[in-house]
């Protein structure tokens, strides 16, 4: 019995060794997709699973042996993005009546979040931070000072070393999203960051009719060999049980023939 169960135990242990573990929870689908794309560019076989169906959040799964490297990649790419609140987050829920000063602060927070979200959707922008200062009107309803904004963008340079956006483009984009904001009043800081080199995600090889990643070939061979051993053990067990049952059936038939060949006892006389 021990000899039969050993291949099965080894197969289960090998399968457990290749299991994935979650590294991030509660992500939106957009952040999950972006994170998985970056990890796969670095050769990490990441996947996603549902985390909370009601909240529509996801979690990122990675192989256990890559966990340490995953955190390094996430730190380099500033992932997941900081959850800056947008209009749908600030004003999309039922709230009690708030004071005008609190409503103004919430509006600025949501406005900054929307502009940051727009900038971060540009290819090559790693992170964007936007701060908007809109002066309060005086008693006459006029603004004594002009609105101002400051923007800091972290980006990855392209092949020629250029940023994904020019400074004047950032100024126009921010100024167009804020009422009465002039482009000259938008301060922009562009900060290049050096990220990890993209690695080939998968080196595929053929294993019979199956195409797998080269890194998983050895594990697949071991699992396949263990599965074959389990099948052979089960087949040998069935064959042996069949032989035993056949011998018992043959012995039973022989005993029945011997019983039929015995002379019948004479019938008792009255």
């Amino acid at each position: 019995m021990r000899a039969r169960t050993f291949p099965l135990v080894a197969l289960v242990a090998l399968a457990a060794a290749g299991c994935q573990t979650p590294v991030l929870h509660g992500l939106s689908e957009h952040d999950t997709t972006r994170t998985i794309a970056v990890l796969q560019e670095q050769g990490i076989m990441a996947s996603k699973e549902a985390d909370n169906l009601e909240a529509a959040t996801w979690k990122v799964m990675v192989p256990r042996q890559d966990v340490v490297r995953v955190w390094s990649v996430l730190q380099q790419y500033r992932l997941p993005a900081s959850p800056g609140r947008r209009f749908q987050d600030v004003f999309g829920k039922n709230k009690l009546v708030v004071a005008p000063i609190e409503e103004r602060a919430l509006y600025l927070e949501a406005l900054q979040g929307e502009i940051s979200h727009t900038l971060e959707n540009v290819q090559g922008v790693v992170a964007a931070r936007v701060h908007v200062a809109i002066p309060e009107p005086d008693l006459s309803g006029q603004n004594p000072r002009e609105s101002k904004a400051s923007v800091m963008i972290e980006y990855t340079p392209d092949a020629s070393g250029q940023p994904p956006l020019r400074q004047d483009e950032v100024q126009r984009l921010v100024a167009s999203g804020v009422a009465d904001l002039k482009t000259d009043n938008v301060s922009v800081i562009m900060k290049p960051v050096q990220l990890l080199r993209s690695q080939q995600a998968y080196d595929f090889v053929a294993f019979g009719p199956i195409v797998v990643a080269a890194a998983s070939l050895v594990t697949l061979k071991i699992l396949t060999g263990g599965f074959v051993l389990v099948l052979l053990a089960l087949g040998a067990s069935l064959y042996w049980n069949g032989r035993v049952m056949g011998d018992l059936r043959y012995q039973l038939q022989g005993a029945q023939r011997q019983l039929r060949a015995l002379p019948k006892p004479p019938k008792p006389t009255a």
Side-chain angles (χ1 to χ4, degrees), residues 15-33:
C19 288
Q20 292 192 324
T21 184
V23 291
L24 294 173
H25 298 266
L27 298 182
S28 65
E29 187 171 6
H30 175 269
D31 290 339
T32 303
T33 304

Side-chain angles (χ1 to χ4, degrees), residues 172-193:
R172 289 199 304 270
L173 187 148
V174 175
S176 63
V178 181
D180 300 326
L181 177 61
K182 299 178 181 179
T183 56
D184 294 338
N185 290 337
V186 179
S187 301
V188 180
I189 298 177
M190 307 287 288
K191 181 181 178 183
V193 294

Side-chain angles (χ1 to χ4, degrees), residues 26-270:
L27 298 182
S28 65
E29 187 171 6
H30 175 269
D31 290 339
T32 303
T33 304
R34 182 182 178 190
T35 301
I36 290 177
V38 170
L39 293 178
Q40 289 183 351
E41 286 179 357
Q42 298 300 323
I44 299 173
M45 302 176 68
S47 60
K48 68 177 182 179
E49 290 185 3
D51 186 24
N52 189 326
L53 296 179
E54 294 183 359
T57 57
W58 300 81
K59 57 184 176 181
V60 177
M61 312 291 293
V62 299
R64 290 181 180 177
Q65 66 271 17
D66 293 330
V67 170
V68 176
R69 185 161 168 260
V70 165
W71 289 118
S72 177
V73 173
L74 294 179
Q75 185 177 9
Q76 286 283 329
Y77 281 82
R78 313 298 196 269
L79 293 173
S82 59
R85 298 203 299 173
R86 302 163 61 189
F87 280 105
Q88 61 189 16
D89 303 316
V90 174
F91 297 103
K93 302 177 181 178
N94 295 328
K95 293 181 179 291
L96 298 175
V97 178
V98 296
I101 187 172
E102 183 180 358
E103 183 178 4
R104 180 180 179 82
L106 292 174
Y107 174 81
L108 287 178
E109 180 186 3
L111 180 62
Q112 293 166 170
E114 289 287 350
I115 298 174
S116 298
H117 180 74
T118 301
L119 291 171
E120 288 176 348
N121 280 336
V122 177
Q123 182 70 26
V125 174
V126 177
R129 299 292 180 271
V130 178
H131 300 278
V132 177
I134 301 178
E136 296 186 9
D138 55 17
L139 297 178
S140 63
Q142 300 295 324
N143 289 330
R145 293 174 297 174
E146 295 181 339
S147 300
K148 294 184 179 181
S150 60
V151 183
M152 186 182 74
I153 294 179
E154 293 180 307
Y155 67 93
T156 55
D158 59 15
S160 61
Q162 298 299 317
L165 291 170
R166 298 192 309 271
Q167 181 172 338
D168 61 313
E169 291 177 331
V170 176
Q171 289 177 320
R172 289 199 304 270
L173 187 148
V174 175
S176 63
V178 181
D180 300 326
L181 177 61
K182 299 178 181 179
T183 56
D184 294 338
N185 290 337
V186 179
S187 301
V188 180
I189 298 177
M190 307 287 288
K191 181 181 178 183
V193 294
Q194 297 296 329
L195 301 180
L196 297 173
R197 258 189 183 177
S198 297
Q199 301 179 4
Q200 185 176 358
Y202 307 109
D203 182 15
F204 292 104
V205 294
F207 180 62
I210 304 174
V211 178
V212 298
S216 305
L217 182 59
V218 175
T219 302
L220 181 60
K221 287 182 177 180
I222 295 175
L223 292 175
T224 304
F227 184 70
V228 171
L229 289 177
V230 171
L231 290 180
L232 291 177
L234 292 175
S237 176
L238 291 175
Y239 175 75
W240 176 257
N241 290 336
R243 288 287 303 273
V244 172
M245 294 298 296
D247 292 341
L248 292 175
R249 189 180 299 107
Y250 179 76
Q251 294 175 9
L252 178 61
Q253 291 175 353
Q256 290 175 345
R257 287 195 298 268
Q258 290 178 2
L259 287 175
R260 287 195 295 266
L262 291 175
K264 297 181 179 180
K267 295 181 180 181
T269 60

